[in-house]
Amino acid sequence: AEGRGSAEGRGSAEGRGSAEGRGSAEGRGSDLFYAFADAGRELARLHLDYEQLEPYELKWLETPDVPLSYRVEKMRLSKDKTQLKVNDP
């Protein structure tokens, strides 16, 4: 396939060419492989460079009758997926 032997082709989807340009011998399996490889590369970047990311602004809410504890017993996402509830009775 085009671009795989060159330095510029190994790190990006552009260097690998389109699915049509790769030919039928490699088929969908290689497309799936590259999709997972690209996702893994992005996940590794986030994992390694997390300290350079801007923190997401959170609103801290406490339940008055429940003592503050950092031990997580139960965690769930609200139905509208806007709140993470931790140890909520």
Side-chain angles (χ1 to χ4, degrees):
E2 346 172 344
R4 276 201 219 158
S6 64
E8 64 271 1
R10 285 194 294 265
S12 68
E14 296 86 31
R16 290 191 296 270
S18 65
E20 300 85 33
R22 283 190 230 149
S24 61
E26 291 178 303
R28 284 194 328 225
S30 65
D31 293 340
L32 189 59
F33 169 80
Y34 286 117
F36 276 103
D38 292 341
R41 186 176 298 110
E42 177 64 11
L43 184 59
R45 186 189 67 77
L46 289 171
H47 177 72
L48 295 172
D49 297 335
Y50 74 95
E51 292 173 331
Q52 283 80 34
L53 298 175
E54 289 295 319
Y56 189 80
E57 192 65 36
L58 297 175
K59 184 176 180 182
W60 185 271
L61 300 175
E62 294 181 42
T63 307
D65 300 336
V66 178
L68 179 63
S69 171
Y70 291 100
R71 181 179 172 96
V72 177
E73 301 287 336
K74 182 169 85 171
M75 183 184 303
R76 65 186 169 105
L77 196 56
S78 64
K79 289 182 182 184
D80 62 358
K81 298 184 180 182
T82 61
Q83 298 177 2
L84 180 63
K85 298 184 178 194
V86 180
N87 298 338
D88 194 39

